[in-house]
Amino acid sequence: MPQSEPTPIRRPRADRARQVADVLRHQIHAGGYAGGLPGEQDLAAEFFVSRNTIREALATLKNEGLIERGPKVGTHVAVRKYDHGLDRLVGLQETFKDYGEVHNQVRTVAHLAAPPAVARRLRLQPGESVVFVERLRYVSDLPLSLDQTYLAPDIGAEVLRHPLEHNDVFSLIEQVSGQRLGSATLALEAVSADPHSAATLQVPTGAALLMLERLTSLDDGRPVDLEYIRMRGDRITMRGSLIRSIP
Amino acid sequence: MPQSEPTPIRRPRADRARQVADVLRHQIHAGGYAGGLPGEQDLAAEFFVSRNTIREALATLKNEGLIERGPKVGTHVAVRKYDHGLDRLVGLQETFKDYGEVHNQVRTVAHLAAPPAVARRLRLQPGESVVFVERLRYVSDLPLSLDQTYLAPDIGAEVLRHPLEHNDVFSLIEQVSGQRLGSATLALEAVSADPHSAATLQVPTGAALLMLERLTSLDDGRPVDLEYIRMRGDRITMRGSLIRSIP
């Protein structure tokens, strides 16, 4: 057998179902099925698989909370997912201005002694005071993310003079510092929700969260904002682009 | 009360524990505790919290599989987490060349009729043949990701002439096309592992996975490689940087 024409291995149905589910997931996020998904038979024809495989793929998407299925009513998209850009440094409110109103429930505002690891990243002395803010963020009344923010003391004190309920911290930092933000380093992980975070975000314990750690600097290079952001995995997609070579 | 000096709200211990866990998680990933974590009392002093709060934070990290704890032996880092760059378009083997050997278990190689959604993204006719490859990817014998790859037919046929076990598809595409890759669009989500994917990746059902969908184009702009990559949440961190303004 020439290597260029392999015979397909007989694959378990679960593999084929995953393959179908991934393509459907993409189409759902892209807004492709606003009026409901096609019937099982049509999907089976579209994907060249059996109806049982389609059923298994749809069961996976239903378990993820992405679609609703019912006899007679058919299959519908249950959750609107929001795109968050990975190409530019923007706050949630800037990002979602076309989706709906962002509002923040401020759960904690405190002056804390910075733990050494926080102090180091914000270039402070260990134990030096930082401003800590915890917010639960909503878009159109749906809880989206739980944000813990550590701010450099001078910037933080000024930021707290402004209402946090309807402002991005990013825009407040720029306002009080008189500088543009410069850049940020970020780390993205998938974590399972601990019971308390799950309850706060209104998801089941263990639900998949997208965890973003982001250290943001002013235009002059000084790091002023360290954030730990837990985003609901079922509500947010991070989107960006990459190039092969460094320009 | 002036807004700049808020009185800390009395916070539930779970909130403080989450806060500690997030900072510790960062330090663990940064390689800060290779010789083991400090004792509870030292951590309590470092974070200005009670030992009970430290215990709750460590319990969270233990549940995530990140640390191991035992009487007498103390607290140790259980899992080495790998950094995957978000700043440049690179394959897994290029990325992890300093961490250990990448090898791929090829689970499926097939010529498939492209479902319409796949065809559209690869700019093919619906039903036109595509090359489909499913690989389970290991770094140093630890399963890391489950990759489903759809390749444009001409590129795919040539790629299949080469062994896939020890090569990145990216480098093979460049080799057979005689072109550099240009750019890719990507979407990152957190999803819970379905039972079959979980078993394949050797994680519990429902474990948090980082799901990457990536469409990669040749330097001439033609999209040739559509991938759906499920990464173990406990093994991979995506890292990058962002700037505030488009340059």
Side-chain angles (χ1 to χ4, degrees):
Chain A
M1 182 181 81
Q3 260 196 297
S4 57
E5 293 195 13
T7 306
I9 301 160
R10 177 120 185 90
R11 307 172 66 208
R13 185 196 298 158
D15 281 351
R16 296 192 306 270
R18 174 174 47 236
Q19 194 182 338
V20 171
D22 286 351
V23 174
L24 285 176
R25 188 189 294 104
H26 166 79
Q27 288 184 286
I28 289 167
H29 294 342
Y33 295 124
L37 273 72
E40 290 175 4
Q41 203 150 359
D42 291 341
L43 287 172
E46 187 170 314
F47 284 95
F48 309 97
V49 296
S50 70
R51 279 182 74 157
N52 280 338
T53 302
I54 293 293
R55 275 192 208 110
E56 194 166 329
L58 294 174
T60 295
L61 297 176
K62 189 179 170 188
N63 281 340
E64 292 178 18
L66 204 61
I67 59 172
E68 288 164 345
R69 307 197 68 197
K72 310 231 170 115
V73 300
T75 305
H76 286 88
V77 176
V79 173
R80 172 72 190 275
K81 214 159 167 172
Y82 299 103
D83 291 342
H84 196 303
L86 262 176
D87 284 329
R88 259 185 79 208
L89 185 58
V90 287
L92 207 61
Q93 191 163 313
E94 286 173 272
T95 300
F96 293 152
K97 59 181 185 299
D98 297 330
Y99 289 138
E101 199 202 4
V102 172
H103 74 267
N104 310 309
Q105 178 200 336
V106 179
R107 303 181 77 240
T108 304
V109 173
H111 293 276
L112 297 179
V118 171
R120 197 161 46 240
R121 305 200 70 199
L122 290 173
R123 296 193 203 151
L124 303 170
Q125 296 302 313
E128 201 173 330
S129 177
V130 288
V131 168
F132 177 78
V133 179
E134 185 173 281
R135 295 168 299 162
L136 182 59
R137 312 198 70 179
Y138 295 82
V139 175
S140 307
D141 296 324
L142 297 172
L144 204 69
S145 70
L146 179 62
D147 296 18
Q148 300 178 94
T149 305
Y150 298 86
L151 296 169
D154 56 332
I155 300 286
E158 291 298 318
V159 163
L160 292 188
R161 292 180 182 274
H162 297 82
L164 295 169
E165 283 73 13
H166 293 279
N167 286 305
D168 280 342
V169 164
F170 276 0
S171 61
L172 292 176
I173 293 175
E174 293 188 328
Q175 196 177 326
V176 306
S177 71
Q179 280 186 57
R180 291 283 286 174
L181 293 172
S183 63
T185 57
L186 52 90
L188 266 171
E189 304 174 69
V191 300
S192 295
D194 63 89
H196 187 71
S197 300
T200 307
L201 284 164
Q202 300 174 30
V203 292
T205 295
L209 303 178
L210 202 53
M211 171 102 183
L212 171 63
E213 188 211 283
R214 183 174 60 192
L215 178 67
T216 305
S217 300
L218 291 175
D219 209 22
D220 65 12
R222 177 165 72 111
V224 292
D225 174 11
L226 175 62
E227 301 199 40
Y228 295 91
I229 305 176
R230 281 172 170 73
M231 295 178 278
R232 280 182 58 153
D234 60 344
R235 295 247 163 96
I236 292 245
T237 305
M238 305 290 289
R239 291 189 188 276
S241 58
L242 293 178
I243 54 169
R244 179 67 165 157
S245 313
I246 293 167
Chain B
M1 181 183 82
Q3 258 197 298
S4 58
E5 294 196 11
T7 306
I9 302 158
R10 178 119 187 89
R11 306 171 66 208
R13 185 196 296 157
D15 280 351
R16 296 193 305 272
R18 173 174 47 233
Q19 196 182 338
V20 171
D22 285 352
V23 174
L24 286 176
R25 188 187 295 105
H26 167 79
Q27 290 184 285
I28 289 167
H29 294 342
Y33 296 123
L37 271 71
E40 290 174 6
Q41 203 150 1
D42 291 341
L43 287 172
E46 186 171 314
F47 283 94
F48 311 96
V49 297
S50 70
R51 280 183 71 159
N52 280 338
T53 302
I54 293 294
R55 277 193 206 106
E56 193 165 328
L58 293 175
T60 295
L61 297 176
K62 189 180 171 188
N63 282 341
E64 292 178 17
L66 205 60
I67 59 172
E68 286 164 346
R69 308 198 68 198
K72 309 228 169 116
V73 300
T75 305
H76 287 87
V77 176
V79 173
R80 171 70 190 277
K81 214 159 167 173
Y82 298 102
D83 291 342
H84 195 303
L86 263 175
D87 285 329
R88 259 186 79 209
L89 185 59
V90 288
L92 206 61
Q93 192 163 313
E94 286 173 273
T95 301
F96 292 153
K97 60 182 186 297
D98 297 330
Y99 289 138
E101 199 204 3
V102 172
H103 74 267
N104 310 310
Q105 179 201 333
V106 180
R107 303 180 77 240
T108 304
V109 173
H111 293 276
L112 297 179
V118 171
R120 197 161 46 239
R121 305 200 71 199
L122 291 173
R123 296 191 203 152
L124 304 170
Q125 296 303 314
E128 201 173 332
S129 177
V130 286
V131 168
F132 177 78
V133 179
E134 185 173 279
R135 295 167 300 161
L136 182 59
R137 311 197 69 178
Y138 295 82
V139 175
S140 307
D141 296 324
L142 297 172
L144 203 69
S145 70
L146 180 61
D147 296 18
Q148 300 180 92
T149 305
Y150 297 86
L151 295 169
D154 56 331
I155 300 286
E158 291 298 316
V159 162
L160 292 187
R161 293 179 181 274
H162 297 83
L164 295 169
E165 283 74 12
H166 294 280
N167 286 304
D168 281 341
V169 164
F170 277 0
S171 62
L172 291 176
I173 292 175
E174 293 188 328
Q175 196 177 323
V176 306
S177 71
Q179 279 186 58
R180 291 283 285 173
L181 293 173
S183 63
T185 57
L186 52 90
L188 265 170
E189 304 175 70
V191 301
S192 294
D194 62 90
H196 188 71
S197 299
T200 308
L201 284 164
Q202 299 174 28
V203 292
T205 294
L209 303 179
L210 203 53
M211 172 101 185
L212 171 63
E213 188 210 284
R214 184 174 60 194
L215 178 66
T216 305
S217 300
L218 291 175
D219 209 20
D220 64 13
R222 177 163 73 110
V224 293
D225 174 11
L226 175 62
E227 301 199 38
Y228 294 92
I229 306 177
R230 281 172 170 73
M231 296 179 276
R232 280 182 58 154
D234 60 344
R235 296 249 163 95
I236 292 243
T237 305
M238 304 290 289
R239 291 188 189 277
S241 58
L242 293 178
I243 55 169
R244 179 68 166 156
S245 313
I246 292 166

